[in-house]
Amino acid sequence: MKDANPSSLDRRTAEAARTAREVTELLEVLWERGRDAVSPAPVSSSQLRVLYTLDRESGINLRTLGNVLGSTPSSVSRMCDRLQALGFVERAPSPASRRELELRLTAQGTSYLADLRCRRDEALLTMVSAMPAAQRQALLEGLRGFQSAVETSSPRRHDDSAATA
């Protein structure tokens, strides 16, 4: 952009960040509706992050999960206890080390996430389909750019020993 001065770029960047925050807050409201409709058992946002992480990285241990979540081992253990009591998570001995347990989603936990994602997808589809085609395309391109920026700027999720296990 030749004619854009630095202060207008800074304003546009700040406006984009502000809009992203506002959209995130709207999505949180939609997400809560979906979560409430899927299960009578209350799953907190933190517990849901555990489920998402285990869906992506099945078989990780508590220490690695704590690192991914940025939580203390005792907090992660309590969340996993609760999710295990709900039937969403199971602990199993690690084949790599007798001292470690691996965490996995159960069939019930996988089904919960599938139902939740389906409800959330339906809500998003309703909202996105109400947009004009050009805005949908711009949204797609913007979200892909945002996703790429997050992925490139985020630290590695887990250590090398967990990656090779």
Side-chain angles (χ1 to χ4, degrees):
M1 289 190 245
K2 285 183 185 178
D3 56 326
N5 65 42
S7 63
S8 69
L9 287 176
D10 292 344
R11 279 193 305 271
R12 285 191 295 226
T13 300
E15 182 181 357
R18 201 170 30 259
T19 301
R21 176 188 45 82
E22 291 168 358
V23 168
T24 300
E25 291 168 356
L26 289 171
L27 286 172
E28 286 175 343
V29 171
L30 283 175
W31 279 182
E32 289 301 315
R33 287 184 202 155
R35 193 171 63 196
D36 293 344
V38 170
S39 173
V43 176
S44 71
S45 296
S46 297
Q47 291 167 339
L48 192 55
R49 287 180 56 217
V50 169
L51 296 178
Y52 286 144
T53 302
L54 294 180
D55 187 48
R56 283 188 311 274
E57 302 182 41
S58 184
I60 63 174
N61 61 32
L62 278 172
R63 178 181 49 82
T64 303
L65 179 59
N67 289 340
V68 169
L69 299 175
S71 297
T72 63
S74 59
S75 295
V76 172
S77 184
R78 281 191 304 273
M79 282 190 285
C80 288
D81 289 343
R82 171 81 170 118
L83 291 168
Q84 187 172 9
L86 290 171
F88 291 170
V89 170
E90 65 184 2
R91 291 175 167 111
S94 168
S97 169
R98 292 181 298 154
R99 296 176 50 198
E100 289 184 5
L101 293 175
E102 293 181 340
L103 300 166
R104 290 183 172 32
L105 289 180
T106 63
Q108 186 177 351
T110 301
S111 176
Y112 173 82
L113 280 182
D115 290 347
L116 179 63
R117 286 176 171 144
C118 182
R119 289 183 186 274
R120 289 176 171 179
D121 286 350
E122 289 170 2
L124 283 173
L125 187 58
T126 298
M127 301 307 159
V128 173
S129 65
M131 297 170 64
Q135 289 180 349
R136 284 194 304 268
Q137 184 60 36
L139 176 65
L140 177 62
E141 291 171 16
L143 289 173
R144 283 183 177 156
F146 181 80
Q147 182 180 21
S148 177
V150 169
E151 289 171 353
T152 22
S153 65
S154 294
R156 214 165 147 203
R157 284 194 196 260
H158 46 81
D159 62 27
D160 291 334
S161 64
T164 59

